[in-house]
Amino acid sequence: MFNKIRLWKNQNNNSSTLRENIEKIKKLPVPEHVAIIMDGNGRWAKKRALPRIAGHHEGMKVVRKITKLANNLGIKTLTLYAFSTENWKRPKNEVDYLMKLPEEFLGTFLPELIEENVQVTMMGYKDQLPVHTLNAIERAIEETKNNDGLVLNFALNYGSRSEIIDAAKKVLNDYKSGILKESELNEEIFSSYLMTSNLNDPDLLIRTSGEIRLSNFMLWQLAYTEFWFTDVLWPDFKEKHLVEAIEVYQNRQRRFGGI
């Protein structure tokens, strides 16, 4: 009995501290664009002797919590690395499950996203996605297109090197066609050829699970982004971890190459 009371008190104290910390960081500039490499679902499942897809399912629930908090904090864009162009190399049953997750997530939470004024977008190669995955994404994009709150941007079948090569090809074609002059090409113009042409570059990148690499994610856009790495596996990632990442961000000085 005493243990239950102690646990209840601790939970209440933690909730109170989280609310206080949220209010504190809202008084300072929050990053406008947060990008997250959601990593560790498989390891989370393995630690519990569960199939990897159980980790992906738990990870999906975290997406909902973090999206709600990001919206509450006034973050304008949340980009989530959901599936890379390299992830097709995984076992077929795992890929099949991952391709069902957008349908499951949006089928469950789309009304909530609409109610909370969230706009769903996607960057990545749509032509390789199964029809049911693409239909779920396109339905969410269509039904939230007039929302002007948080942009929830899924990086799905996304690979940054391919993105940059494709952008270079488009630049070359426009140059050959006379649409673009060599003298006009600069970083801003090149960025307009990328999949993120409608988005600002991320201010903060978070990667979970203790891995310290970019894994072919937004290589151009992350040039001056602040990085925050954590050992926490994505299914264990909680609101307090996002708050902690933003607190660290708010204590950094961004110089963009200056002094």
Side-chain angles (χ1 to χ4, degrees):
M1 176 63 80
F2 288 121
N3 286 337
K4 287 184 178 178
I5 292 174
R6 191 179 300 117
L7 179 63
W8 177 77
K9 283 184 175 179
N10 285 339
Q11 287 173 340
N12 277 328
N13 286 339
N14 290 340
S15 297
S16 177
T17 302
L18 177 64
R19 282 196 299 272
E20 289 171 6
N21 289 340
I22 288 173
E23 292 309 311
K24 281 182 185 174
I25 62 173
K26 287 171 77 171
K27 292 176 181 175
L28 295 171
V30 297
E32 291 191 2
H33 185 171
V34 176
I36 304 180
I37 301 176
M38 306 178 293
D39 197 12
N41 291 346
R43 274 166 281 171
W44 182 92
K46 186 177 180 181
K47 285 172 66 175
R48 291 160 178 78
L50 295 170
R52 288 174 60 85
I53 58 174
H56 296 311
H57 190 265
E58 286 301 309
M60 180 188 73
K61 297 177 186 174
V62 179
V63 169
R64 179 192 178 215
K65 285 191 296 186
I66 297 306
T67 300
K68 284 175 72 74
L69 178 55
N71 202 18
N72 178 27
L73 290 173
I75 291 169
K76 292 183 178 176
T77 304
L78 178 65
T79 293
L80 301 176
Y81 202 9
F83 191 88
S84 78
T85 47
E86 290 73 32
N87 286 156
W88 296 105
K89 300 172 186 172
R90 295 185 177 188
K92 184 177 183 304
N93 67 328
E94 184 174 343
V95 170
D96 288 346
Y97 185 78
L98 287 169
M99 287 297 116
K100 289 177 184 173
L101 275 183
E103 199 175 358
E104 186 176 343
F105 176 78
L106 294 168
T108 305
F109 300 122
L110 183 56
E112 191 174 304
L113 296 175
I114 293 171
E115 185 181 337
E116 296 197 2
N117 197 28
V118 172
Q119 183 187 55
V120 176
T121 63
M122 177 204 147
M123 65 178 188
Y125 295 95
K126 292 182 178 179
D127 54 346
Q128 296 174 7
L129 295 176
V131 173
H132 61 86
T133 308
L134 189 57
N135 286 345
I137 291 285
E138 290 192 332
R139 179 185 165 213
I141 291 172
E142 176 63 26
E143 294 193 16
T144 63
K145 66 181 181 184
N146 295 321
N147 290 353
D148 57 5
L150 171 77
V151 174
L152 177 59
N153 180 40
F154 289 103
L156 192 60
N157 194 26
Y158 172 83
S160 187
R161 286 185 172 182
S162 295
E163 177 193 28
I164 292 171
I165 288 172
D166 288 343
K169 288 178 179 175
K170 290 174 188 171
V171 167
L172 190 58
N173 284 336
D174 282 354
Y175 169 72
K176 289 178 177 176
S177 305
I179 296 172
L180 181 69
K181 296 176 182 176
E182 182 180 349
S183 60
E184 294 174 329
L185 184 60
N186 55 31
E187 291 183 9
E188 184 180 356
I189 294 294
F190 188 80
S191 294
S192 70
Y193 285 84
L194 297 171
M195 293 176 182
T196 51
S197 58
N198 294 323
L199 302 174
N200 292 330
D201 290 343
D203 301 293
L204 173 64
L205 171 79
I206 297 170
R207 178 161 188 159
T208 60
S209 88
E211 302 294 350
I212 305 176
R213 57 175 178 266
L214 294 180
S215 299
N216 201 16
F217 183 57
M218 303 185 85
L219 302 179
W220 173 276
Q221 297 89 339
L222 295 175
Y224 286 103
T225 300
E226 298 296 323
F227 291 0
W228 188 79
F229 298 101
T230 175
D231 291 336
V232 175
L233 304 175
W234 177 248
D236 291 328
F237 193 84
K238 295 182 170 49
E239 289 94 335
K240 67 178 183 181
H241 298 118
L242 178 59
V243 169
E244 182 184 350
I246 293 175
E247 286 173 339
V248 171
Y249 168 86
Q250 289 176 332
N251 282 296
R252 290 185 184 172
Q253 289 187 334
R254 304 186 72 191
R255 300 186 181 89
F256 299 95
I259 56 174

